[in-house]
Every structure is written in C-alpha cells, then in structure tokens.
Amino acid sequence: MYKKLLIRLLPIAIAAFFLFDGSQMLSLDNISEHRQALMDFTDRHYLLMLIACAIGYSLSTALSLPGGTVLSQLPIWLKHRANE
C-alpha cells in the first residue's frame, strides 16, 4: 500500500520542485542572500538543521534533482559559520 502511494507521489514531488523553481532556491546566490536567517535558525535548532540537510540531500540525490552540490556543501558551511 505504501509503495503505491510513494509511486504516485514521486511525479507530484518532482513536478512541484520544478514548478516552484526549486533549483533557484538551491543556488549559492539564494543561500548567500538568506545567510543570516540560516545562521539564526542553525543557532537555535542545530540538530533539526542537520536532519533537514540530510533528508534534503538524500531526496535530491534519490530523485536526481539539481542542487545536490549545494546541499552537500550547506551543512559544512553552516557548521563552519556557527563556530566563528
């Protein structure tokens, strides 16, 4: 039952990614624009940010969506900035 649900949701998730311009949201320019908000969120919810990055990267890689490079660098960048 869950397998059928996932198979039906997969095309919807991919379409939503491209429909809402997901590749633009995962650009280095966009991350730089929202740097302070990301840093504040990371300071308050460090574990949640790590989990969100791991899930986002896993989904991006599994679905072959663009943005894997940015998502692989984002947790390292946030960790480095949080330690400054």
Side-chain angles (χ1 to χ4, degrees):
M1 182 166 122
Y2 291 113
K3 193 182 289 187
K4 290 180 182 179
L5 179 64
L6 287 176
I7 290 172
R8 290 182 183 149
L9 288 178
L10 183 63
I12 295 170
I14 293 172
F17 178 82
F18 289 107
L19 183 66
F20 294 113
D21 206 16
S23 59
Q24 174 60 30
M25 289 191 301
L26 295 177
S27 70
L28 290 175
D29 293 333
N30 191 32
I31 290 172
S32 294
E33 284 179 25
H34 297 95
R35 176 183 176 270
Q36 191 58 46
L38 286 169
M39 294 303 301
D40 292 342
F41 185 81
T42 302
D43 289 340
R44 285 178 289 160
H45 309 284
Y46 186 71
L47 183 61
L48 181 61
M49 179 56 87
L50 288 178
I51 293 170
C53 286
I55 291 171
Y57 178 77
S58 298
L59 287 174
S60 175
T61 304
L63 300 176
S64 298
L65 297 174
T69 304
V70 174
L71 287 174
S72 65
Q73 295 172 357
L74 182 62
I76 297 166
W77 181 72
L78 290 172
K79 170 99 171 99
H80 174 72
R81 298 289 185 211
N83 288 334
E84 287 183 351

